[in-house]
Amino acid sequence: MDSKLSQKAWMAVVVWLGLLAATAYTSNATVNVFNAIIQALFSSLVNGISDLFTNYGILFAVILSIVLIFLLVSAWLGVVSYTFEVGDLVFGNAKDEDEDEEQAEDITNVVGQVARYLGFSWGLFYILFLILPVVM
């Protein structure tokens, strides 16, 4: 392994550790409060699911909750994809320059996607947290 490849590999591993920690922290913070949010939403449904379509505030909060779950799952899927990309970079066999540039572009895209999903999930989490007292 030449020093340039090992430097790329170390940077990829450090970024992977950061993304893994950020995704785990975001998931933990959301799950701790999400149970209370779901209980509050469904305790306001007196007559069942039909109340969702009469109280639009609660319907909006439920839709935001579903989108928040989707964003967290997408972030975890991105971390898994990035794990495979880093594994190929660190433990992969020797490749030529064209494939190395394509792999670097793929890795950069995956990192940006995971960071975007995490940012949107934090924003949506705070929006949901702030509108919940209003709709209840």
Side-chain angles (χ1 to χ4, degrees):
M1 238 180 179
D2 60 300
S3 64
K4 191 173 189 178
L5 181 62
S6 65
Q7 183 180 9
K8 283 184 192 179
W10 277 109
M11 288 189 322
V13 169
V14 169
V15 170
W16 175 77
L17 286 173
L19 283 178
L20 184 67
T23 307
Y25 180 77
T26 301
S27 297
N28 186 31
T30 303
V31 166
N32 286 340
V33 179
F34 202 70
N35 189 25
I37 291 172
I38 295 298
Q39 286 179 353
L41 285 174
F42 286 112
S43 68
S44 63
L45 300 176
V46 179
N47 296 327
I49 298 295
S50 63
D51 284 347
L52 280 177
F53 302 106
T54 58
N55 189 347
Y56 295 117
I58 294 175
L59 178 65
F60 182 65
V62 167
I63 290 171
L64 288 181
S65 300
I66 291 169
V67 171
L68 181 62
I69 291 170
F70 172 75
L71 286 172
L72 285 174
V73 168
S74 297
W76 276 109
L77 290 175
V79 169
V80 169
S81 297
Y82 188 67
T83 302
F84 287 121
E85 295 289 334
V86 169
D88 271 350
L89 183 65
V90 173
F91 301 113
N93 49 4
K95 298 181 179 179
D96 60 349
E97 288 295 320
D98 293 336
E99 289 181 13
D100 193 32
E101 289 176 12
E102 290 175 11
Q103 185 179 17
E105 186 177 326
D106 290 342
I107 287 176
T108 305
N109 290 339
V110 171
V111 171
Q113 287 175 353
V114 171
R116 192 175 320 119
Y117 289 143
L118 290 177
F120 284 141
S121 64
W122 273 106
L124 191 61
F125 176 71
Y126 284 125
I127 289 171
L128 185 63
F129 192 70
L130 290 174
I131 68 163
L132 197 59
V134 174
V135 283
M136 302 311 271

